[in-house]
């Protein structure tokens, strides 16, 4: 009986693989030849130590396992190298645009949004503090503010590899100020000061006193005093410029 030795022949090439971070990576090849063939897997042209079977397996793929793989099939006649199999390791989502907060009044529309990228399908869940925002499962949270829904908003972006959480976007809901005590007419004593005062409720109030509808420079407190009023100070005074900061 005459046995004819043959050069190895690759009958099934290794194929491109996308694997999830932390999941099993497996590459395979089918080859024939006489006498029996041996294998050596390579990554980027460099031999992988111990990778000498028809399959190459990594039990838990890391990001560094991505790259271009080939396998050299050999026997006493010679060797052939397979085509390239490209391995992509799909990792956690990457947030490329963080949500941005706002300082607004009650009833304002505040669209909070996140930009994320991933090789895998993604899902979203918004939180205010540590509380889940019911039904908020898209890239954009279209928030209409009330007296009670201000707070620190984040979004958790998830794919098969795991989750990442955005930076916090603070939504400050500010109520309009309310004047609780109006200023009254000033009737200063001769040579005495004229005093105007207003009382208001609200958050971080600022004031602007006016004379005959025109702002008075520097008159930005809850009280406005004219130390020595004269004829030129006659007029109508108000603090209509009270605003919430």
């Amino acid at each position: 009986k005459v046995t004819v030795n043959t050069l190895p022949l690759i009958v099934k090439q290794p194929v491109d693989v996308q694997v999830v971070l932390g999941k099993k990576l497996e590459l395979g090849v089918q080859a024939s030849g006489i006498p029996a063939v041996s294998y050596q897997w390579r990554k980027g042209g460099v031999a992988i130590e111990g990778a000498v079977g028809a399959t190459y397996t990594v039990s838990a793929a890391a990001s560094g396992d991505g790259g271009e793989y080939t396998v050299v099939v050999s026997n006493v006649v010679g060797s052939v190298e397979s085509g390239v199999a490209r391995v992509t390791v799909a990792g956690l989502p990457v947030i490329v645009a963080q949500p941005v907060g706002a300082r607004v009044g009650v009833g304002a529309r505040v669209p909070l949004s996140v930009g994320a990228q991933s090789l895998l399908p993604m899902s979203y869940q918004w939180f205010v503090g540590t509380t889940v925002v019911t039904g908020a499962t898209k890239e954009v949270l279209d928030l209409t503010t009330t007296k009670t829904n201000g707070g620190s908003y984040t979004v958790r972006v998830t794919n098969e590899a795991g989750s990442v959480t955005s930076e916090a976007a603070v939504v400050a809901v500010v109520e309009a100020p309310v004047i609780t005590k109006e200023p009254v007419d000033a009737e200063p004593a001769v040579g005495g000061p004229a005093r105007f005062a207003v009382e208001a409720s609200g958050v971080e109030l600022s004031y602007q006193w006016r004379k005959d509808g025109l702002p008075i420079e520097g008159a930005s407190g809850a009280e406005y005093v004219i130390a020595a009023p004269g004829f030129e100070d006659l007029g109508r005074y108000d603090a209509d410029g009270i605003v919430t900061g």
Side-chain angles (χ1 to χ4, degrees), residues 39-197:
Y39 305 87
Q40 176 60 65
W41 288 89
R42 297 180 176 181
K43 179 187 176 190
V46 178
I48 303 169
E49 185 177 356
V52 293
T55 60
Y56 172 62
T57 303
V58 176
S59 59
S63 57
D65 291 316
E68 296 186 341
Y69 290 78
T70 58
V71 57
V72 176
V73 185
S74 306
N75 65 10
V76 294
V77 179
S79 62
V80 293
E81 187 170 9
S82 72
V84 173
R86 293 170 179 83
V87 172
T88 304
V89 179
L92 297 172
V94 176
I95 294 178
V96 295
Q98 298 285 348
V100 178
R103 186 180 182 86
V104 294
V106 174
R109 178 176 173 267
V110 181
L112 299 174
S113 63
V114 67
Q117 295 177 345
S118 172
L119 295 173
L120 302 167
M122 295 179 289
S123 61
Y124 305 84
Q125 178 60 63
W126 288 87
F127 295 80
V128 55
T130 58
T131 303
V132 170
V133 181
T134 303
T137 56
K138 296 182 179 179
E139 298 96 323
V140 178
L141 170 59
D142 200 356
L143 185 69
T144 299
T145 57
T146 68
K147 292 181 180 181
T148 59
N149 67 355
S152 182
Y153 286 81
T154 57
V155 57
R156 180 182 297 161
V157 186
T158 303
N159 67 10
E160 190 179 346
S163 300
V164 294
T165 299
S166 73
E167 296 174 0
V170 177
V171 177
V173 182
V174 181
E175 295 185 56
V178 176
I179 294 176
T180 56
K181 186 176 181 180
E182 297 279 358
V184 297
D185 295 344
E187 298 180 359
V190 176
R195 296 180 182 275
F196 300 97

Side-chain angles (χ1 to χ4, degrees), residues 214-237:
L214 298 177
I216 303 170
E217 185 177 356
S220 56
E223 184 179 65
Y224 174 56
V225 179
I226 304 172
F231 179 79
E232 68 278 6
D233 295 310
L234 295 176
R236 296 179 60 84
Y237 291 81

